Structures are given as structure tokens and as C-alpha cells.
Amino acid sequence: MSPHFILYCLITLMVVFWSGNYIAAKIAMREIPSVLVMCLRTLFAAIFIVPIYWRHMKKNPPVREWREVGLLVTLGVFGITLNQFFWTVGVARTTVVHSSMIIGTTPLWVLVIAGMMRLERITWPKLGGMVIALTGGGLLQLFRPRAAGNGPTVLGDFYVLLCAITLAGMTALGKRHKPRSGGIAVNALAYIGGSVALIPFFWWSARNFDFS
């Protein structure tokens, strides 16, 4: 079987699973505060990824260099944990349509950041794509429902935009400084470290929540 075929199948599965994220989050946040959802999500992700990372370490011993550790912390905590924080609190304050469309502008921000880091050459066709993406974001706000209720909000859209920008920053930074430890190590460190860093938020959001 062709490696390219396997790659595109995996990408398709990733998109399908990620699409379900929005619906699952909106359902969960009907009963659970958004910050608590984010804390529980990070905790369970850490629990599930530990055995995968343990098996990975047996075959690929970790790189014991301060530069590598610093890169993993930066990519993991800021690119994944912070990214998930913005996404969760953003989705709680906007609609599935708005959040998914704003996240769809992530390639735009990857191009902008990569251009600033001189990793990518910005051409006129790429600039045209950027304008189209920004126009779509502007139209979302222009035709935003004004009625009160569970509709989209500027703050929610802004949080989701920050999510897209942090994800783009992680992508560009990871392209320039490729971690030798691999993607599994980045994700493992992010969710394990994120679980520890989020303990105060977990305590604050769970102290008055009825788990029964």
C-alpha cells in the first residue's frame, strides 16, 4: 500500500475526529463549565498518551539536551495546552459554525508567521488567499446575530482566533526547529505538563461542581 495513500487516510481520519470535537464540546458544556471541560480533557489525554509514550521511549530513547527540552516545552505547553485552552473557552462562547470557520483560517496564520520567520515566500496568489480568508472572518462578524442567547460573541470568536494563531505558531516553530524526539514526545509532554499546570484551574472550576 502506498505511503501517500496511508498518509492521506490518516489526515482524513484526523479531520473527521477533529470535526466531532466541536459538537462533543458543545454537548459537554451544556452541563460542565468550559474551564473544567478543558482540564478534564487535558487530564484524560495525558492518561491515554502515557502508555503510548512509554512504548515510544523504549524504541526511541529521549534526547537529553536542554535545547531539546526547551523546544518540547515551548511546542507542547504553548502550542497544545494554551491552544486547547483558547479553543475550549472560545467554543463555549460562540457557535460551532463560527469556531470551525475561524479555525479554518489557521493556514493563513501559518503563512503569515512562516513568512515573518522567512520559512515561506509570500506570493500574490497566497496574498489573495489571505484576503479571502480575512474577508470570510469579517463577514462572520458583519452578519452576527444580535439577539441574546447562545449565539456567537465577539469574545468567543476572539478566543478561537487566538487558538488558531497559537496552533499556527507551533506549526511554524516546529518547522524551523524540528524536535528530534518526535511528535509523540511533544504531545506527551504537553498533556502531562498541562495536567500539572492546570491543577489550580481544575480545583477552582470543580470546587462547586456536582459530579454526581
Side-chain angles (χ1 to χ4, degrees):
M1 189 175 293
S2 169
H4 286 88
F5 177 76
I6 296 174
L7 174 64
Y8 286 120
C9 286
L10 291 173
I11 292 174
T12 302
L13 283 174
M14 179 194 72
V15 172
V16 171
F17 288 139
W18 179 250
S19 299
N21 246 343
Y22 299 93
I23 300 171
K26 295 298 281 188
I27 293 173
M29 285 183 284
R30 290 176 182 174
E31 306 291 339
I32 308 173
S34 59
V35 176
L36 182 56
V37 168
M38 188 263 299
C39 292
L40 291 173
R41 181 182 181 185
T42 305
L43 174 62
F44 282 117
I47 292 172
F48 282 115
I49 204 170
V50 163
I52 298 173
Y53 182 52
W54 184 262
R55 184 178 179 182
H56 174 76
M57 282 197 303
K58 289 183 178 179
K59 297 180 179 179
N60 305 277
V63 179
R64 303 181 184 277
E65 295 179 5
W66 284 113
R67 179 186 177 278
E68 182 75 4
V69 172
L71 180 59
L72 291 176
V73 170
T74 302
L75 291 176
V77 176
F78 288 96
I80 297 178
T81 305
L82 191 62
N83 163 271
Q84 290 301 303
F85 171 80
F86 287 138
W87 184 84
T88 306
V89 297
V91 169
R93 292 164 174 80
T94 191
T95 62
V96 171
V97 174
H98 272 223
S99 55
S100 59
M101 290 187 69
I102 294 172
I103 287 295
T105 66
T106 301
L108 158 69
W109 303 111
V110 171
L111 178 61
V112 170
I113 296 173
M116 292 171 63
M117 298 173 67
R118 297 189 177 181
L119 296 173
E120 189 80 23
R121 183 168 167 264
I122 300 179
T123 61
W124 284 110
K126 292 176 182 177
L127 280 174
M130 292 167 61
V131 171
I132 292 173
L134 289 174
T135 301
L139 290 174
L140 281 176
Q141 291 304 320
L142 181 63
F143 295 104
R144 180 169 59 91
R146 305 298 177 183
N150 295 324
T153 65
V154 174
L155 181 60
D157 289 352
F158 178 67
Y159 277 133
V160 177
L161 177 62
L162 289 178
C163 166
I165 292 174
T166 54
L167 178 59
M170 180 188 72
T171 303
L173 185 64
K175 183 70 175 178
R176 164 167 279 188
H177 307 285
K178 295 180 180 178
R180 288 180 290 163
S181 302
I184 293 177
V186 173
N187 282 275
L189 184 62
Y191 287 113
I192 295 170
S195 298
V196 175
L198 291 173
I199 288 176
F201 295 94
F202 178 79
W203 176 84
W204 174 78
S205 59
R207 56 181 179 172
N208 295 321
F209 181 74
D210 184 9
F211 285 90
S212 61

